[in-house]
Amino acid sequence: MTARRLRFTEPRTIEVESVPEPVPESDEVRVRTTVSAISSGTERLVYRGEAPTDLPADPALESLDGDLSFPLSYGYAAVGEVDAVGEDVDPDWLGRRAFAFEPHASAFTASPGDLQPIPDGVTDAQAALFPTVETAVNFLMDGNPRIGERVGVFGQGMIGLATAALLSDASLSELVTVDACPARRERSERIGADRSLSPGADAVARLREGDPPGRDLTYELSGAPDALDDAIAATGYDGRVVVGSWYGTKPAEVDLGRTFHRDRIAIESSQVSTIEPALRGRWSLERRRAVAWDRLAGLDLDPILTHRIPFAEAADAYELLEERPEEAVGVLLTY
């Protein structure tokens, strides 16, 4: 028997190839994939050939070995059902639904310790957005939004929308988001933003309204390096900017010569592979993931999940995300 896996073979070129069906080792299980989610930020960098090839694919995930040079398998949001177990694995794993940080493929093997059992009440489609929601949880932990603060979020793709949804429950004074696509701005307001704006000078001016002027906390999640300058400009005295975007090989030119210096603005990177150092005494990846599952079950994900595309047509899915972002936000590959 054979399985299928997705391969990025060169910039803007996707292949779905046949490979021998994986057989679990004695301490592994095999998962038959039902859906996997495309990370529209990171994976589009890989798709375009804009990911730095001198970096490991992801040192925190054993399933992503090697670097980001072509050809490569990638992806980290697979959901499926265990259909085979090794001789040393508890047979109770058979038939269980599980999430795994695995590349896009119709089947894969993994250690049970690397799987996340899917809680009752969470659908396969919802579970595929677990990394998205976990990333959003991490952004809130790093940004530490306080009651009554005015917060801005640049970028309303999958991650931006999930972050806005969590922030809408944070007892803020105001939540304003920014995105170039009208459909995404509408989705943002539907998911909990008080207002969503088109990027530019008018948006920065609107975000600086208030007393004291400027955002207390601003997130840059657009993936566009130019947006970082606007995020800094929108942030007020002693405010914080959390950069969750990964720009890949694209440089970010920012103006640090005007209000940034005198306004004592703090800029911090946020990445989901690790926990904020100040929180590590009481927080672990396991505890944060439990919070992410809890929040995932309660989120309205319809504004985020816009398309379901058969795995055999994966090339069309990436082209859709790249060429028609006004139509597509979150894309599930179905198997």
Side-chain angles (χ1 to χ4, degrees):
M1 296 183 66
T2 60
R4 296 170 295 157
R5 70 175 182 182
L6 185 150
R7 296 283 279 175
F8 296 85
T9 56
E10 57 183 272
R12 301 177 187 274
T13 304
I14 298 291
E15 292 183 3
V16 176
E17 62 181 13
S18 295
V19 295
E21 183 167 80
V23 177
E25 300 287 344
S26 62
D27 59 348
E28 292 181 327
V29 303
R30 182 177 64 213
V31 178
R32 189 75 58 184
T33 311
T34 55
V35 296
S36 61
I38 295 176
S39 171
S40 57
T42 304
E43 289 191 53
R44 284 173 62 200
L45 287 177
V46 174
Y47 175 69
R48 297 176 192 143
E50 294 178 350
T53 58
D54 58 345
L55 289 178
D58 193 324
L61 301 178
E62 291 186 10
S63 59
L64 297 177
D65 57 355
D67 57 29
L68 293 170
S69 57
F70 296 111
L72 76 156
S73 298
Y74 200 73
Y76 47 79
V79 173
E81 182 176 308
V82 175
D83 73 342
V85 300
E87 59 184 14
D88 295 332
V89 176
D90 187 337
D92 284 348
W93 272 99
L94 278 171
R96 296 182 69 177
R97 294 186 306 137
F99 168 89
F101 295 99
E102 287 281 338
H104 303 290
S106 63
F108 58 88
T109 58
S111 165
D114 292 331
L115 300 178
Q116 296 273 314
I118 298 172
D120 292 340
V122 175
T123 68
D124 286 6
Q126 287 175 314
L129 290 188
F130 171 72
T132 300
V133 175
E134 185 186 14
T135 299
V137 169
N138 194 63
F139 289 157
L140 266 71
M141 293 174 68
D142 286 355
N144 189 24
R146 301 176 178 94
I147 187 170
E149 286 195 318
R150 299 192 303 273
V151 177
V153 181
F154 284 75
Q156 288 297 278
M158 291 176 68
I159 298 294
L161 285 169
T163 303
L166 296 186
L167 286 167
S168 69
D169 287 333
S171 299
L172 305 175
S173 173
E174 184 183 50
L175 173 62
V176 178
T177 63
V178 180
D179 198 276
C181 293
R184 296 188 181 205
R185 296 198 296 272
E186 184 276 329
R187 291 174 185 277
S188 182
E189 292 177 352
R190 178 152 45 111
I191 213 165
D194 295 305
R195 188 175 179 186
S196 192
L197 308 171
S198 178
D202 288 346
V204 172
R206 171 65 181 82
L207 288 164
R208 289 199 60 83
E209 292 177 357
D211 184 18
R215 298 288 105 176
D216 300 290
L217 170 63
T218 308
Y219 289 92
E220 203 302 275
L221 310 179
S222 72
D226 290 346
L228 180 54
D229 218 14
D230 284 350
I232 294 170
T235 305
Y237 177 83
D238 202 28
R240 297 107 63 207
V241 178
V242 175
V243 184
S245 292
W246 185 41
Y247 303 131
T249 59
K250 296 178 292 186
E253 297 184 9
V254 295
D255 181 0
L256 303 181
R258 297 186 185 181
T259 60
F260 166 78
H261 183 68
R262 291 183 177 177
D263 278 357
R264 303 180 66 89
I265 294 172
I267 303 177
E268 177 183 359
S269 66
S270 179
Q271 210 280 333
V272 71
S273 295
T274 55
I275 299 286
E276 159 69 44
L279 300 178
R280 291 176 189 169
R282 294 189 57 81
W283 284 87
S284 62
L285 290 177
E286 291 73 21
R287 183 180 180 186
R288 188 185 66 192
R289 286 173 178 172
V291 171
W293 282 117
D294 180 68
R295 296 299 183 271
L296 179 63
L299 282 182
D300 176 10
L301 299 180
D302 285 343
I304 301 175
L305 287 177
T306 58
H307 289 75
R308 291 166 170 79
I309 295 177
F311 184 52
E313 301 169 17
D316 294 339
Y318 288 89
E319 183 178 346
L320 171 68
L321 286 166
E322 188 68 15
E323 304 297 335
R324 303 198 299 278
E326 71 282 356
E327 296 179 23
V329 180
V331 174
L332 286 184
L333 299 176
T334 60
Y335 295 77

